[in-house]
Each structure stands twice: as structure tokens, then as C-alpha cells.
Amino acid sequence: MEKSTVRHNIFKNGGSEFTILIAYIGLCAVFSILSSNFLSIKNFINIGIYSSIMGITAAATTLVLISGCIDISVGSVMGLTGMISALMLKQGIPIVIVVVTSLLAGAAVGILNGLLVAKGKIVPMIATMGTMSIVRGIAYLTNGGISIVISDQNFTWLGRGYIGPVPFILLVLLMVYIGVYYLSKYTAYGRKLYATGSNQRAGYLAGINTDRTILTVYILNGVFAGLSGILMAAQSGAGLPTAGDTYEMTIISACVLGGTSINGGKGNVWGTLIGVLLLTTISNGLTMLGISSFWQQIIKGTILVVAVLIDAWRNGSYKKV
């Protein structure tokens, strides 16, 4: 009985990242057996590149979930910032100004989300569902729903370029995760995030400005989603009003798979990174095996449901009837 309790506590308190890492290794082994082209350096670089866009936003979304909130508007922000970037580049505006303006647009959506949740006291899911629809509509309106081709090679290098043998976008991903990890684990702000997510009322009584904490984490998430949108446009070579569609659910799945609780107060960005890699690898492997994209959607949805069930069991939030 004692050993069983110890094993249960290990799984609840520290085994999530290790568990998903083992699952990822096992998944790679299965795909390498089923497809002779899977186990190659080129394919793993491709997996890393396609993981980067989702992974950058997922790092900040992890912090949002840790704070006890949720944000399902990030996919729409990606679409909007990609369109803004493409429109500005078409007008011949310098890349630095394009990038800064697009990031500010992402921050503006984050401010709106933060104010609705922190000051308006709207349930995070409902608030960000509303902004998701609003922002996606604006993305379509920017150019009448028509995609914009990006011909500026200096801009597209951001999503396609290499520094030596390493894709630039992978270096951005790594820097983001190191920065977010440091922020969450070694700063006072990080401790406030965990405290707010664990018990917002207790955090407030302990002197934490929980409203400010929630507002700033939404701004950070908006900025990172904006960065993902910029890199997505650079990678595809076009501003697409549909860019980032359904990404929010995949991002949340990655966070939960990596051990971040949707109830708040618990999470680790490195677990999220493994979750992102796992989901991207599943798509990559299934595509190599010729599995229909429709079946891939079903599989991803199933993974999200299973991840949430595991999270509920892990944190004891289920109710026995």
C-alpha cells in the first residue's frame, strides 16, 4: 500500500516530463519501424522547424495556464500578425518596423484579454473565445480575405534561414524556452504566477496583485503569439488570414501533455516543449504513412481529451459519484 502511494505521488509531483519523454522516444521508435524515411537528420530538422512556431506560443501559454487562466485566441493572433507583416512589407516598410508593429498588435490583443479577465472578471475561456472571433475577423478584413505573397527575402529568411547548419527558427525557439524557464523558476514574477494559479484568493491576501499578474501574462502570450505569426508568414512566404487556425487547441494539448495543469499552479515549459515535439512528430509520422488529414484531426482531438483526463486524475480534480 505504501509503495503504491509513493509511486502515485511521484507521478503527480514530478514524473510528468519524464513520462512524456519516454512516450516520445517510444513513438519515434514505432515510426522508425513503420517508415524507413522517418529516422533521418533531415526529417528531425523538419520536425524541429514545424515545432518552432507552435512551440514559441506554447511556452507563454504554459505561463497562462500556470496562472489559472486559458487563452484560445492565440491562433487568431498568428493570423492577424502575419497579415499585418505582409501588408506592411508590401508597402515597402523596413523589416524592423514591421516586426515591432506586429508584436505590438499581439500585445494589444493580450491587453484586451487581460483586461477582460482581470478587470472585467469574465471567465477566461469565454473572454478569449470572443477575442478569438474578433481578431480572426480583423485578419480577414485587412485584405478582404485574400492572402498576400511576401517577396522580401530578408524577411522570409527569418522562417527559412540557417545559421551554420542550424535553422534560425530553432535558435529562436531555444532562446524563448531558456528565457521563459528562467522567468518562471527564478524570478519573483514566476512565483507570483504559481501562487495566483494555485489559489488566486490566497495569493491576493498574501499581497500579490493578482490582476496585474494575469494582465501581464496575457500580454506576454499575445507578444509570443505575434512572434509565431511573424515566423509563420516568413516560413510560408505569405500572409494568410487562415494562419494559425485550430492551433490554440493543439498548443493547449501540448501544455497539458507536458504536465501543465489546466487548473493552474503547476507546469514546466520543458515538459511543454516535449509535448509540442510529440504532437508534431505524430503529424509527421502519420503523413509519412499516408494517413488522411481527417484521421489526424480525430487523433489530435482524442489526444487532447486523454490529456485532460490524465490531468484531472493527476491533480485529483475528478469527482466520484
Side-chain angles (χ1 to χ4, degrees):
M1 185 74 172
E2 233 174 65
K3 288 181 181 177
S4 176
T5 303
V6 169
R7 282 197 299 269
H8 178 67
N9 288 335
I10 288 173
F11 180 76
K12 282 180 71 174
N13 299 320
S16 303
E17 295 84 3
F18 180 74
T19 302
I20 192 174
L21 179 59
I22 294 299
Y24 181 67
I25 293 170
L27 180 72
C28 289
V30 170
F31 279 137
S32 65
I33 293 169
L34 296 175
S35 173
S36 58
N37 297 321
F38 179 81
L39 205 61
S40 67
I41 294 175
K42 183 180 179 181
N43 188 48
F44 277 104
I45 288 176
N46 287 335
I47 289 172
I49 289 172
Y50 288 115
S51 295
S52 297
I53 290 172
M54 182 170 66
I56 287 168
T57 301
T61 300
T62 300
L63 300 183
V64 173
L65 292 172
I66 288 171
S67 73
C69 299
I70 196 168
D71 188 351
I72 60 171
S73 69
V74 289
S76 296
V77 173
M78 292 180 198
L80 177 63
T81 55
M83 288 299 292
I84 290 173
S85 297
L87 277 171
M88 294 180 73
L89 288 166
K90 190 177 179 181
Q91 300 301 318
I93 296 172
I95 291 175
V96 174
I97 296 175
V98 169
V99 170
V100 171
T101 303
S102 298
L103 292 178
L104 288 174
V109 178
I111 291 171
L112 177 58
N113 285 332
L115 289 175
L116 290 172
V117 174
K119 298 298 183 182
K121 303 303 178 187
I122 300 175
V123 175
M125 175 71 79
I126 303 301
T128 57
M129 186 182 296
T131 55
M132 173 182 71
S133 180
I134 293 168
V135 173
R136 182 65 69 184
I138 295 171
Y140 276 104
L141 285 172
T142 52
N143 197 46
I146 302 171
S147 302
I148 304 171
V149 175
I150 298 172
S151 57
D152 189 321
Q153 293 185 0
N154 291 323
F155 182 82
T156 55
W157 182 88
L158 297 175
R160 303 173 182 175
Y162 282 70
I163 294 180
V166 184
F168 173 72
I169 199 169
L170 276 181
L171 295 176
V172 174
L173 178 73
L174 182 61
M175 288 188 290
V176 164
Y177 272 81
I178 291 173
V180 172
Y181 177 73
Y182 180 83
L183 179 69
S184 64
K185 293 297 181 183
Y186 299 107
T187 67
Y189 179 71
R191 290 189 288 275
K192 289 175 183 177
L193 281 176
Y194 281 97
T196 300
S198 296
N199 189 318
Q200 188 171 335
R201 179 63 181 168
Y204 175 77
L205 294 174
I208 296 173
N209 188 330
T210 54
D211 284 354
R212 183 187 299 167
T213 300
I214 290 171
L215 175 60
T216 52
V217 81
Y218 270 113
I219 294 172
L220 188 64
N221 204 33
V223 170
F224 276 47
L227 176 59
S228 291
I230 292 166
L231 294 173
M232 184 182 291
Q235 193 177 86
S236 63
L240 305 169
T242 57
D245 191 29
T246 73
Y247 266 51
E248 49 279 328
M249 290 299 103
T250 307
I251 287 168
I252 292 170
S253 297
C255 295
V256 176
L257 281 169
T260 299
S261 173
I262 56 174
N263 296 312
K266 182 177 183 294
N268 186 315
V269 289
W270 296 117
T272 294
L273 180 58
I274 301 171
V276 169
L277 289 170
L278 182 117
L279 292 176
T280 307
T281 302
I282 288 173
S283 293
N284 175 272
L286 292 177
T287 300
M288 279 191 164
L289 295 174
I291 305 298
S292 163
S293 60
F294 303 125
W295 278 107
Q296 291 187 35
Q297 286 293 107
I298 292 171
I299 291 168
K300 286 179 182 178
T302 303
I303 289 171
L304 174 59
V305 172
V306 171
V308 172
L309 285 173
I310 291 172
D311 177 66
W313 181 82
R314 185 169 57 219
N315 293 285
S317 60
Y318 57 86
K319 294 181 179 179
K320 293 182 179 179
V321 179

Coordinates of all heavy atoms in Angstrom, one line a residue, residues 169-224:
I169 N 15.1 29.6 -36.9 CA 13.9 29.5 -36.1 C 14.0 28.6 -34.9 O 13.4 28.8 -33.9 CB 12.7 29.0 -37.1 CG1 11.4 29.3 -36.4 CG2 12.8 27.6 -37.4 CD1 10.2 29.1 -37.4
L170 N 14.9 27.6 -35.0 CA 15.2 26.7 -33.9 C 16.0 27.4 -32.8 O 15.7 27.2 -31.6 CB 16.0 25.5 -34.4 CG 15.2 24.3 -35.0 CD1 16.1 23.2 -35.4 CD2 14.1 23.8 -34.0
L171 N 16.8 28.3 -33.2 CA 17.6 29.1 -32.2 C 16.7 30.0 -31.5 O 16.8 30.2 -30.3 CB 18.7 29.9 -32.9 CG 19.8 29.0 -33.6 CD1 20.8 30.0 -34.3 CD2 20.6 28.2 -32.6
V172 N 15.7 30.6 -32.2 CA 14.7 31.4 -31.6 C 13.9 30.6 -30.6 O 13.7 31.1 -29.4 CB 13.7 32.1 -32.6 CG1 12.6 32.8 -31.9 CG2 14.5 33.0 -33.6
L173 N 13.5 29.4 -30.9 CA 12.7 28.5 -30.0 C 13.5 28.3 -28.8 O 13.0 28.4 -27.7 CB 12.4 27.2 -30.8 CG 11.7 26.2 -29.9 CD1 10.2 26.6 -29.7 CD2 11.7 24.8 -30.6
L174 N 14.8 27.9 -28.9 CA 15.6 27.6 -27.8 C 15.8 28.8 -26.8 O 15.7 28.7 -25.6 CB 17.0 27.1 -28.2 CG 18.0 26.7 -27.2 CD1 17.4 25.6 -26.3 CD2 19.3 26.4 -27.8
M175 N 16.0 30.0 -27.4 CA 16.2 31.2 -26.6 C 14.9 31.5 -25.8 O 14.9 31.9 -24.7 CB 16.6 32.4 -27.5 CG 18.0 32.3 -28.0 SD 18.5 33.8 -28.8 CE 17.5 33.8 -30.3
V176 N 13.7 31.3 -26.5 CA 12.4 31.6 -25.9 C 12.3 30.6 -24.7 O 11.9 31.1 -23.6 CB 11.3 31.3 -26.9 CG1 9.9 31.2 -26.2 CG2 11.2 32.5 -27.9
Y177 N 12.6 29.4 -24.8 CA 12.4 28.4 -23.7 C 13.3 28.7 -22.6 O 13.0 28.5 -21.4 CB 12.5 27.0 -24.2 CG 11.1 26.5 -24.7 CD1 10.6 26.9 -26.0 CD2 10.2 25.8 -23.9 CE1 9.4 26.5 -26.4 CE2 9.0 25.4 -24.3 CZ 8.6 25.8 -25.6 OH 7.3 25.4 -26.0
I178 N 14.6 29.0 -22.9 CA 15.5 29.4 -21.8 C 15.0 30.6 -21.0 O 15.0 30.6 -19.8 CB 16.9 29.6 -22.4 CG1 17.5 28.3 -22.9 CG2 17.8 30.2 -21.3 CD1 18.8 28.4 -23.6
G179 N 14.5 31.6 -21.8 CA 14.0 32.8 -21.1 C 12.8 32.6 -20.3 O 12.7 33.1 -19.2
V180 N 11.9 31.8 -20.8 CA 10.6 31.6 -20.1 C 10.9 30.7 -18.9 O 10.3 30.9 -17.8 CB 9.6 30.9 -21.1 CG1 8.3 30.5 -20.3 CG2 9.1 31.9 -22.1
Y181 N 11.8 29.7 -19.1 CA 12.1 28.8 -17.9 C 12.7 29.7 -16.8 O 12.3 29.5 -15.6 CB 13.1 27.8 -18.3 CG 13.5 26.9 -17.2 CD1 12.7 25.9 -16.7 CD2 14.8 27.0 -16.7 CE1 13.1 25.1 -15.6 CE2 15.2 26.2 -15.6 CZ 14.4 25.3 -15.1 OH 14.8 24.5 -14.0
Y182 N 13.6 30.6 -17.1 CA 14.2 31.4 -16.1 C 13.2 32.3 -15.4 O 13.2 32.4 -14.2 CB 15.3 32.3 -16.7 CG 16.0 33.2 -15.7 CD1 17.1 32.7 -14.9 CD2 15.6 34.5 -15.6 CE1 17.7 33.6 -14.0 CE2 16.2 35.3 -14.6 CZ 17.2 34.9 -13.9 OH 17.8 35.7 -12.9
L183 N 12.3 32.9 -16.3 CA 11.3 33.8 -15.7 C 10.3 33.0 -14.8 O 10.0 33.5 -13.7 CB 10.4 34.3 -16.9 CG 9.3 35.2 -16.5 CD1 9.8 36.6 -16.0 CD2 8.4 35.5 -17.8
S184 N 10.0 31.8 -15.1 CA 9.0 31.1 -14.3 C 9.6 30.5 -13.0 O 9.0 30.3 -12.0 CB 8.4 29.9 -15.1 OG 9.3 29.0 -15.5
K185 N 10.9 30.1 -13.1 CA 11.5 29.4 -12.0 C 12.4 30.3 -11.0 O 12.6 30.0 -9.9 CB 12.4 28.3 -12.5 CG 11.6 27.2 -13.1 CD 10.7 26.5 -12.2 CE 9.9 25.4 -12.8 NZ 8.9 24.7 -11.9
Y186 N 13.0 31.4 -11.6 CA 14.0 32.1 -10.8 C 13.7 33.6 -10.6 O 14.5 34.4 -10.3 CB 15.4 32.0 -11.5 CG 15.8 30.5 -11.5 CD1 15.8 29.9 -12.8 CD2 16.2 29.8 -10.4 CE1 16.2 28.5 -12.8 CE2 16.6 28.5 -10.5 CZ 16.7 27.9 -11.7 OH 17.1 26.6 -11.8
T187 N 12.4 34.0 -10.8 CA 12.1 35.4 -10.6 C 10.8 35.5 -9.7 O 10.1 34.5 -9.5 CB 11.7 36.1 -11.9 OG1 10.5 35.5 -12.5 CG2 12.8 36.0 -12.9
A188 N 10.7 36.6 -9.1 CA 9.5 36.9 -8.2 C 8.2 36.8 -9.0 O 7.2 36.3 -8.5 CB 9.6 38.2 -7.5
Y189 N 8.3 37.2 -10.2 CA 7.1 37.2 -11.1 C 6.7 35.7 -11.3 O 5.5 35.4 -11.3 CB 7.4 37.8 -12.5 CG 6.2 37.8 -13.4 CD1 5.1 38.6 -13.2 CD2 6.2 37.0 -14.5 CE1 4.0 38.5 -14.1 CE2 5.2 36.9 -15.4 CZ 4.1 37.7 -15.2 OH 3.0 37.6 -16.0
G190 N 7.6 34.9 -11.5 CA 7.3 33.4 -11.7 C 6.6 32.9 -10.5 O 5.6 32.1 -10.6
R191 N 7.1 33.2 -9.3 CA 6.5 32.7 -8.1 C 5.1 33.3 -7.9 O 4.2 32.6 -7.4 CB 7.4 33.1 -6.9 CG 8.7 32.4 -6.8 CD 9.4 32.6 -5.5 NE 10.0 33.9 -5.4 CZ 11.2 34.3 -5.9 NH1 11.9 33.4 -6.6 NH2 11.6 35.5 -5.8
K192 N 4.9 34.5 -8.4 CA 3.5 35.1 -8.3 C 2.6 34.3 -9.2 O 1.4 34.1 -8.9 CB 3.6 36.6 -8.7 CG 4.2 37.4 -7.6 CD 4.3 38.9 -8.2 CE 5.1 39.8 -7.1 NZ 5.2 41.2 -7.7
L193 N 3.1 33.9 -10.4 CA 2.2 33.1 -11.3 C 1.8 31.8 -10.7 O 0.6 31.5 -10.8 CB 3.0 32.8 -12.6 CG 3.2 33.9 -13.7 CD1 4.1 33.4 -14.8 CD2 1.8 34.3 -14.2
Y194 N 2.7 31.1 -10.1 CA 2.3 29.8 -9.5 C 1.4 30.1 -8.3 O 0.4 29.3 -8.1 CB 3.6 29.1 -9.0 CG 4.3 28.4 -10.1 CD1 5.4 29.0 -10.7 CD2 3.9 27.1 -10.5 CE1 6.1 28.3 -11.7 CE2 4.6 26.4 -11.5 CZ 5.7 27.0 -12.1 OH 6.4 26.4 -13.1
A195 N 1.6 31.1 -7.5 CA 0.8 31.4 -6.4 C -0.6 31.8 -6.8 O -1.7 31.3 -6.2 CB 1.4 32.5 -5.5
T196 N -0.7 32.6 -7.9 CA -2.0 33.0 -8.4 C -2.8 31.8 -8.9 O -4.0 31.7 -8.7 CB -1.8 34.1 -9.5 OG1 -1.2 35.2 -9.0 CG2 -3.2 34.5 -10.1
G197 N -2.1 30.9 -9.6 CA -2.8 29.8 -10.2 C -3.2 28.7 -9.1 O -4.2 28.1 -9.3
S198 N -2.4 28.6 -8.1 CA -2.7 27.7 -7.0 C -4.0 28.1 -6.3 O -4.8 27.3 -6.0 CB -1.5 27.5 -6.1 OG -0.4 27.0 -6.8
N199 N -4.0 29.4 -5.9 CA -5.2 29.9 -5.2 C -5.2 31.4 -5.3 O -4.4 32.1 -4.6 CB -5.1 29.5 -3.7 CG -6.4 29.8 -3.0 OD1 -7.0 30.8 -3.1 ND2 -6.9 28.8 -2.1
Q200 N -6.0 31.9 -6.2 CA -6.0 33.3 -6.5 C -6.3 34.2 -5.3 O -5.7 35.2 -5.0 CB -6.9 33.7 -7.7 CG -6.8 35.1 -8.2 CD -7.6 35.4 -9.4 OE1 -7.8 34.5 -10.2 NE2 -7.9 36.6 -9.7
R201 N -7.3 33.7 -4.6 CA -7.8 34.5 -3.4 C -6.7 34.5 -2.3 O -6.4 35.6 -1.7 CB -9.0 33.8 -2.8 CG -9.6 34.4 -1.5 CD -10.0 35.9 -1.8 NE -10.6 36.5 -0.6 CZ -10.8 37.8 -0.5 NH1 -10.6 38.6 -1.5 NH2 -11.3 38.3 0.7
A202 N -6.0 33.4 -2.1 CA -4.9 33.3 -1.1 C -3.7 34.2 -1.6 O -3.1 34.8 -0.7 CB -4.5 31.9 -0.9
G203 N -3.5 34.2 -2.9 CA -2.4 35.0 -3.4 C -2.7 36.5 -3.2 O -1.8 37.2 -2.8
Y204 N -3.9 36.9 -3.4 CA -4.3 38.3 -3.2 C -4.1 38.7 -1.7 O -3.6 39.7 -1.4 CB -5.8 38.4 -3.6 CG -6.3 39.8 -3.3 CD1 -6.0 40.9 -4.1 CD2 -7.2 40.0 -2.2 CE1 -6.5 42.2 -3.9 CE2 -7.7 41.3 -2.0 CZ -7.3 42.4 -2.8 OH -7.8 43.6 -2.5
L205 N -4.6 37.8 -0.8 CA -4.5 38.1 0.6 C -3.0 38.1 1.1 O -2.7 38.7 2.1 CB -5.2 37.0 1.4 CG -6.8 37.0 1.2 CD1 -7.4 35.9 2.0 CD2 -7.3 38.4 1.7
A206 N -2.1 37.4 0.3 CA -0.7 37.4 0.6 C 0.0 38.6 0.1 O 1.2 38.8 0.3 CB -0.1 36.1 0.1
G207 N -0.7 39.5 -0.6 CA -0.1 40.7 -1.0 C 0.2 40.8 -2.5 O 0.8 41.7 -3.0
I208 N -0.2 39.7 -3.3 CA 0.1 39.7 -4.7 C -1.0 40.4 -5.4 O -2.2 40.2 -5.2 CB 0.2 38.2 -5.2 CG1 1.3 37.4 -4.5 CG2 0.3 38.2 -6.7 CD1 1.4 36.0 -4.8
N209 N -0.6 41.3 -6.4 CA -1.5 42.0 -7.2 C -1.9 41.0 -8.3 O -1.3 41.0 -9.4 CB -0.9 43.2 -7.8 CG -1.9 44.1 -8.5 OD1 -2.9 43.6 -9.1 ND2 -1.7 45.4 -8.5
T210 N -2.9 40.1 -8.0 CA -3.2 39.1 -9.0 C -3.8 39.6 -10.3 O -3.5 39.0 -11.4 CB -4.3 38.1 -8.3 OG1 -5.4 38.9 -7.9 CG2 -3.7 37.4 -7.2
D211 N -4.5 40.7 -10.3 CA -5.0 41.3 -11.5 C -3.8 41.7 -12.4 O -3.9 41.5 -13.6 CB -5.8 42.5 -11.2 CG -7.2 42.2 -10.7 OD1 -7.5 41.0 -10.6 OD2 -8.0 43.1 -10.3
R212 N -2.8 42.3 -11.9 CA -1.7 42.7 -12.7 C -0.9 41.5 -13.2 O -0.5 41.5 -14.3 CB -0.7 43.6 -11.8 CG 0.5 44.1 -12.6 CD 1.5 44.8 -11.7 NE 0.9 45.9 -11.0 CZ 1.5 46.6 -10.0 NH1 2.6 46.1 -9.5 NH2 0.9 47.6 -9.4
T213 N -0.8 40.5 -12.4 CA -0.1 39.2 -12.8 C -0.8 38.6 -14.0 O -0.2 38.2 -15.0 CB -0.1 38.2 -11.6 OG1 0.6 38.8 -10.5 CG2 0.6 36.9 -12.0
I214 N -2.2 38.6 -13.9 CA -3.0 38.0 -15.0 C -2.9 38.9 -16.3 O -2.7 38.3 -17.4 CB -4.4 37.8 -14.6 CG1 -4.5 36.7 -13.5 CG2 -5.3 37.5 -15.8 CD1 -5.9 36.6 -12.9
L215 N -2.9 40.2 -16.1 CA -2.8 41.1 -17.2 C -1.5 40.9 -18.0 O -1.5 40.8 -19.2 CB -3.0 42.5 -16.8 CG -2.8 43.6 -17.8 CD1 -3.8 43.5 -19.0 CD2 -2.9 45.0 -17.2
T216 N -0.4 40.9 -17.2 CA 0.9 40.8 -17.8 C 1.2 39.5 -18.5 O 1.8 39.4 -19.5 CB 2.0 41.1 -16.8 OG1 1.8 40.2 -15.6 CG2 2.0 42.5 -16.3
V217 N 0.6 38.4 -17.9 CA 0.8 37.1 -18.6 C 0.1 37.0 -19.9 O 0.5 36.4 -20.8 CB 0.5 35.9 -17.6 CG1 -1.0 35.6 -17.5 CG2 1.2 34.6 -18.0
Y218 N -1.1 37.6 -20.0 CA -1.8 37.7 -21.2 C -1.1 38.5 -22.3 O -1.1 38.2 -23.5 CB -3.2 38.2 -21.0 CG -4.3 37.1 -20.7 CD1 -4.9 37.0 -19.4 CD2 -4.6 36.2 -21.6 CE1 -5.8 36.1 -19.1 CE2 -5.5 35.2 -21.4 CZ -6.1 35.1 -20.1 OH -7.0 34.1 -19.8
I219 N -0.5 39.6 -21.8 CA 0.3 40.4 -22.7 C 1.5 39.6 -23.3 O 1.7 39.7 -24.5 CB 0.8 41.7 -22.0 CG1 -0.4 42.6 -21.6 CG2 1.8 42.5 -22.9 CD1 0.0 43.8 -20.8
L220 N 2.1 38.9 -22.4 CA 3.3 38.1 -22.8 C 2.8 37.1 -23.8 O 3.5 36.8 -24.9 CB 3.9 37.4 -21.6 CG 5.2 36.7 -21.8 CD1 6.3 37.6 -22.2 CD2 5.6 35.9 -20.5
N221 N 1.7 36.4 -23.6 CA 1.2 35.4 -24.5 C 0.8 36.0 -25.9 O 1.1 35.4 -26.9 CB -0.1 34.8 -23.9 CG -0.3 33.4 -24.5 OD1 0.6 32.6 -24.8 ND2 -1.6 33.0 -24.6
G222 N 0.3 37.2 -25.8 CA 0.0 37.9 -27.1 C 1.2 38.3 -27.9 O 1.2 38.1 -29.1
V223 N 2.3 38.7 -27.2 CA 3.5 39.0 -27.9 C 4.1 37.7 -28.5 O 4.6 37.8 -29.7 CB 4.5 39.6 -26.9 CG1 5.9 39.7 -27.5 CG2 4.0 41.0 -26.5
F224 N 4.1 36.6 -27.8 CA 4.7 35.4 -28.3 C 3.9 34.8 -29.5 O 4.4 34.3 -30.4 CB 4.8 34.4 -27.2 CG 6.1 34.5 -26.4 CD1 6.4 35.8 -25.9 CD2 6.8 33.4 -26.0 CE1 7.6 35.9 -25.1 CE2 8.0 33.6 -25.3 CZ 8.4 34.8 -24.8

